[in-house]
Amino acid sequence: MSLTRWFFISFLLLSLAGCQSAYYGAMEKVGVHKRDIMVNRVESAQEAQTDAKEQFESALAEFRSIVQIKDQDLAERYDRLNGEYEDSKDAAKSVTDRIDAVEDVSEALFDEWEDEIELYSSANLKRQSATKLSQTRRQYQGLIRAMRSAEARMEPVLQAFQDQVLFLKHNLNARAIDSLQGELGSIETDVAQLIREMERSIAESEAFISNLQE
């Protein structure tokens, strides 16, 4: 990487960090603290995961109907399946964007918390706050692992759906439908695993929000 490019990327990252700091500072002035923002973003990520779970279930149902119900117009089958695939891609991107937002505010929140612990004059309160920070950070790490694990499950499913959409697009005939039938079991297994990961992540989100609001 050239020195000029390195400086440009460094400047861009610092600028983005500065924008986030300015945003958090502005929100603090109107009484919205990082903890509030974090709760909001975790809830937003939870909502995106729920939407994605429902969308992938819908895509699977569409794929199942396409390969199992005979005497359907082949071009219409392709259009429906492609629509479900595109909606699933959008849902997956929304999940990733919202998890990224959770990570961003968590870093700011924990950094601020650590700094403010040093301001205590009471050793007892300082110790209690440090313990709470440690507990919250551990729970957060479990949450983000669950979120990223569910996120990672989406890509193989999307790839499988993309393969089926492309195959159907290039082979609009009854034999193509018969070929897709053989892939149904594998896709059903992948989606079931994804749903389990999503539900575990959603449960982690609920527990984390409850703990943070105590």
Side-chain angles (χ1 to χ4, degrees), residues 5-199:
R5 182 174 176 80
W6 184 87
F7 275 122
F8 173 75
I9 293 174
S10 297
F11 174 76
L12 181 60
L13 292 173
L14 287 171
S15 297
L16 290 173
C19 290
Q20 287 296 321
S21 297
Y23 168 74
Y24 296 138
M27 295 301 285
E28 290 270 0
K29 289 179 180 177
V30 295
V32 181
H33 302 285
K34 294 180 183 70
R35 181 184 297 263
D36 304 316
I37 297 171
M38 188 169 189
V39 168
N40 179 264
R41 290 187 180 181
V42 171
E43 289 175 338
S44 182
Q46 183 183 39
E47 179 183 334
Q49 288 181 314
T50 299
D51 291 344
K53 180 171 78 78
E54 292 171 355
Q55 174 53 44
F56 277 95
E57 289 174 329
S58 174
L60 174 61
E62 188 62 50
F63 181 68
R64 189 182 287 123
S65 73
I66 283 172
V67 300
Q68 291 181 339
I69 300 175
K70 305 299 182 183
D71 301 322
Q72 301 178 72
D73 179 82
L74 293 174
E76 182 182 340
R77 293 193 206 193
Y78 163 74
D79 289 338
R80 292 205 315 268
L81 186 58
N82 186 56
E84 291 288 349
Y85 166 64
E86 293 295 334
D87 288 345
S88 297
K89 275 204 309 183
D90 291 342
K93 184 178 184 307
S94 178
V95 169
T96 295
D97 290 345
R98 296 188 190 188
I99 295 173
D100 289 344
V102 169
E103 286 193 318
D104 182 85
V105 71
S106 71
E107 291 176 8
L109 173 64
F110 290 138
D111 286 346
E112 179 184 74
W113 197 338
E114 284 182 340
D115 291 341
E116 291 179 344
I117 283 176
E118 300 306 316
L119 301 178
Y120 279 101
S121 58
S122 166
N124 182 46
L125 293 178
K126 181 176 182 177
R127 184 170 56 255
Q128 289 183 48
S129 185
T131 299
K132 179 67 173 179
L133 170 59
S134 180
Q135 292 171 343
T136 304
R137 182 172 268 149
R138 280 198 304 273
Q139 189 172 17
Y140 165 76
Q141 289 168 346
L143 168 65
I144 212 67
R145 279 196 302 271
M147 284 184 169
R148 290 301 186 190
S149 178
E151 177 195 25
R153 287 281 185 188
M154 292 189 293
E155 187 54 37
V157 176
L158 284 173
Q159 189 62 59
F161 278 134
Q162 182 185 53
D163 288 348
Q164 309 317 310
V165 168
L166 288 174
F167 187 79
L168 187 57
K169 178 181 180 180
H170 298 150
N171 302 273
L172 289 176
N173 55 56
R175 184 172 296 175
I177 300 300
D178 291 339
S179 297
L180 295 182
Q181 177 77 45
E183 300 295 323
L184 178 58
S186 176
I187 291 177
E188 286 178 327
T189 298
D190 288 344
V191 172
Q193 290 175 336
L194 169 62
I195 299 308
R196 286 195 294 272
E197 292 281 357
M198 286 287 190
E199 290 175 345

